[in-house]
Amino acid sequence: SSSSGDETLRDKRARILSRGLPKQKPIEGVKQVVVVASGKGGVGKSTTAVNIALALAANDSTKEVGLLDADIYGPSIPKMMNLKGNPELTPKNLMRPLKNYGIACMSMGFLIEETAPVVWRGLMVMSAVEKLLRQVDWGQLDYLVIDMPPGTGDVQLSVSQNIPIAGAVIVSTPQDVALLDAHKGAEMFRKVHVPVLGLVQNMSVFQCPKCKHETHIFGADGVRDLAKTLGLDILGDVPLHVNIRETCDSGQPVVVSQPQSDA
C-alpha cells in the first residue's frame, strides 16, 4: 500500500540523515550536563556559569559538581575559580581536574600560559574541545556545568551533538544587540534538540551606591520580552553590581564569598 511505501521512505530518509550526525555518548561518570551559553560575548556568561555551579553545590552538599570551560580562545574559569597549575595525569592518561570551593574544574587555561594567545585554526580547537570532554577523569559528578564560548559556531554544535545535555541556560543583557544574538542561540539549541531551560537577564539595573537611584543602563526588560516571544522562562534577573564583578575577578565568586548579600 502507499502508506507502507511512505513509511519505508521515511525510515530510509531518517537513516541517511542520522548517518551524518555524530552518535551522542555520555561523559563517563557524569549524570547531568547543563550548558551556559550566550549569543554575544561580554554579557556575563562565565560569571553566571561559575555562580550556578557553586549554587548547585551549596543547595545540596550531597551533590558533586564540575565546571568545564569550553571557551578555548578566552578561558576565564581559572581566574574566577582562583586556580592555577597543570592537571596531573592518571595511570590511564586522563587529566585530573583542579579543585576549589568543592568544584572540579577543567579549562584550556590550565594547559597554556596565562597571557599566551591560542592562535589555532578550527580543527585544532575541535580537537582540544574533544580532549576536554573525553580525556578528563571527572570521577562521579551529579552535575557538569559547561561554560560555552559565545556564538553559535563549531564548538557549540560539537558539544551539543556529541554529548547528551540536560538543558541550556542562555545569558543576555537587556540590550537589543545582545538580544538578537541570544535569540539565535536559543534557536540553535532547538535545532539540535537541546532543551532550553530558560534565560538569565544579566546587568539589568544599576543602583547608585550613594543615592540608590536605579538606572537601566542596557535597557529594561528586554530579556523578559524575548522570553515571552520564545515561550521560555526567566530563570534570574541579575543587577549590574560591583560586588558580582569584583568577587569573580578576585577568584572569590559572590555565591561563596558573600552568600547572604543581595547580590
Side-chain angles (χ1 to χ4, degrees):
S1 73
S2 67
S3 68
S4 66
D6 286 350
E7 223 163 277
T8 312
L9 201 63
R10 262 204 306 276
D11 285 352
K12 193 174 179 184
R13 193 180 292 147
R15 275 201 308 276
I16 291 166
L17 284 171
S18 69
R19 263 185 229 152
L21 290 173
K23 292 278 178 283
Q24 283 196 337
K25 187 174 153 220
I27 300 171
E28 203 169 318
V30 176
K31 285 185 191 163
Q32 306 262 25
V33 175
V34 176
V35 298
V36 180
S38 71
K40 189 166 277 313
V43 296
K45 169 185 50 61
S46 295
T47 303
T48 305
V50 162
N51 282 302
I52 285 175
L54 290 162
L56 284 168
N59 280 343
D60 187 343
S61 58
T62 65
K63 298 285 189 241
E64 290 294 327
V65 182
L67 182 58
L68 172 60
D69 188 350
D71 195 343
I72 302 298
Y73 291 119
S76 40
I77 297 304
K79 185 174 178 62
M80 291 183 176
M81 289 296 285
N82 197 22
L83 286 166
K84 265 192 176 122
N86 300 111
E88 292 175 4
L89 289 178
T90 69
K92 287 184 176 174
N93 229 21
L94 298 175
M95 293 181 284
R96 277 207 179 98
L98 274 60
K99 240 181 174 185
N100 197 10
Y101 309 120
I103 308 290
C105 301
M106 182 48 68
S107 169
M108 188 69 196
F110 300 146
L111 308 174
I112 55 168
E113 289 296 315
E114 196 173 26
T115 54
V118 175
V119 189
W120 286 356
R121 291 192 184 276
L123 279 172
M124 289 170 77
V125 171
M126 298 317 295
S127 167
V129 169
E130 185 64 19
K131 283 186 173 69
L132 290 175
L133 285 174
R134 302 282 178 207
Q135 292 181 19
V136 176
D137 180 10
W138 289 107
Q140 295 297 314
L141 292 184
D142 294 284
Y143 301 106
L144 177 63
V145 178
I146 301 185
D147 178 22
M148 294 279 244
T152 54
D154 283 351
V155 174
Q156 292 83 345
L157 276 172
S158 182
V159 171
S160 306
Q161 291 178 337
N162 279 303
I163 58 171
I165 294 172
V169 173
I170 295 174
V171 182
S172 181
T173 58
Q175 192 181 2
D176 287 351
V177 175
L179 293 167
L180 279 171
D181 291 344
H183 194 151
K184 287 176 195 164
E187 292 301 343
M188 183 207 79
F189 285 119
R190 282 181 170 166
K191 275 198 168 139
V192 292
H193 309 296
V194 170
V196 179
L197 302 173
L199 305 178
V200 171
Q201 177 161 275
N202 198 21
M203 309 186 207
S204 59
V205 65
F206 172 72
Q207 187 183 62
C208 173
K210 288 193 175 132
C211 70
K212 304 296 178 199
H213 175 70
E214 293 193 341
T215 308
H216 292 274
I217 291 173
F218 295 113
D221 290 336
V223 179
R224 288 184 186 282
D225 297 339
L226 178 61
K228 271 190 207 137
T229 305
L230 295 171
L232 293 170
D233 292 332
I234 286 280
L235 302 176
D237 197 339
V238 186
L240 180 62
H241 201 296
V242 70
N243 275 12
I244 298 172
R245 197 268 306 159
E246 280 180 350
T247 51
C248 254
D249 278 355
S250 65
Q252 299 173 313
V254 72
V255 165
V256 282
S257 60
Q258 302 174 11
Q260 303 310 319
S261 68
D262 288 349

